[in-house]
Amino acid sequence: MSSRAVPIVGTVERVPVPTVDRRLRLARAAVFAVFALNGCLLALWVVHIPAVCDRTGIAKSTLGSFILILAGAALIGMRISGPLADRFGSRAMVAVAACLISVTVIGPGLATGPVGLAIALACFGFGNGALDVSMNTQAVHVERAYGRPVMSAFHALFSGGGLLGSLVGAAALRAGMDIRLTLTIAAVAGLGLVAAALPLLLRDTGTEFVADAVEIVSVPASGAAVSEPGDAPAALRAPHRTKVLGLAVVAFICLLTEGAAADWSALQVRDHLGTDEATAALAFAGFSFTMTAGRFATDRLAGAFGPVAVVRYGTLICAGGLAVILASVWTPLTLLGWACVGLGLSGVIPQIFTAAGNLGSVTVATDMSRVFSIGYLGLLAGPALIGWLTAVVPLTAALAVPLVAILVCERFAGIVAPVGGGPGPG
């Protein structure tokens, strides 16, 4: 099918097509594969943390410092990859970042001391941050071409990849495989997947998005090309910056809540209710299951009711779950509360990233990198904040902080409303 150019005034909009072109279906499958690869490689690192600690002689008390190195490098990767993806295209950045994370996953397994581990985690974290931004930017282009919400399914595949990676890693450990062999196999498989997926990804370079079925070009109202938000008048730049900042704050709060749930849910059930370790682990299992399942369902909900409704009611469900956890003294009810937290949060972050990628600017990846990096700080800050609060109040009481914070997100759910016709009803 020949391509056609459609001029858009002031923003980048979707072009309706009667059926989804085969090229777009293949591109969507390729992005699915990249998201799953990212989740799988991260999980393989996580399940091998005890083995890495044994090989390098790192004490558990100092492991947190090394994880901060990974996190800091990821933040740098996020901020650098955004402008690069806008300049060279997200397809090129996905290829570079996915190859980097595939190769550097071997690093922690090869490290034999603290210095080697620090360098390995810095490289792995940088690649992960760069891939986070570039693959989500590519996902925005695919979603825009589809003309309907598909972002949440990508994030569901990331969760599914994490599940696959944890199962593969656990099986390898049980079989007694050397960590270096396991991670080398994962690296080779990752490079093979990137090679297969790269030709299927959509080409995008700055002001153009190109697929076989449709070409979308962004031009300003005057007809002159726009290359940067800074080229626009100050009166137009200010609302854009405010929108980016608003999305970043909402992402920060939601990921703060997600981080607190991931790191503290099992401990909260064990300490507050006096359960055994196996029962306490069901809290995180329930949270993870509803998070993944909810993301598979969110795209249809966003298409039917709009992203604002997904964020508003999702944050309310999350807040309801946290309220149940604070008040409950019955284990099944508390587990249900944690499941509600996962379900409520499941569709919120994908809507935020979709909104960040459809602000009417041609610097899509740069906008997303800013929202990503600030949101990622929330993922790091949530567990730490709860930990600090437990020095003065019980763990369950400390969860009142994410409860209040997530209600702030509900108040500002309108921040994800589409700008100029993004996917889904506005």
Side-chain angles (χ1 to χ4, degrees), residues 299-316:
D299 287 330
R300 290 187 178 276
L301 294 174
F305 304 107
V308 175
V310 170
V311 173
R312 174 162 293 129
Y313 292 107
T315 51
L316 284 175

Side-chain angles (χ1 to χ4, degrees), residues 173-187:
L173 289 168
R174 183 174 293 277
M177 285 182 62
D178 188 291
I179 181 176
R180 293 168 294 183
L181 176 60
T182 303
L183 296 180
T184 299
I185 293 173

Side-chain angles (χ1 to χ4, degrees), residues 231-258:
D231 294 339
L236 297 179
R237 293 201 304 269
H240 176 85
R241 291 172 180 169
T242 301
K243 186 87 169 183
V244 171
L245 178 60
L247 288 168
V249 170
V250 173
F252 178 90
I253 292 174
C254 290
L255 288 174
L256 181 150
T257 305
E258 181 176 333

Side-chain angles (χ1 to χ4, degrees), residues 81 127 176 186 218 261 276 352 363 372 409-410 422:
S81 63
S218 175
D276 56 62
I352 295 171
T363 54
F372 260 77
C409 289
E410 188 279 331

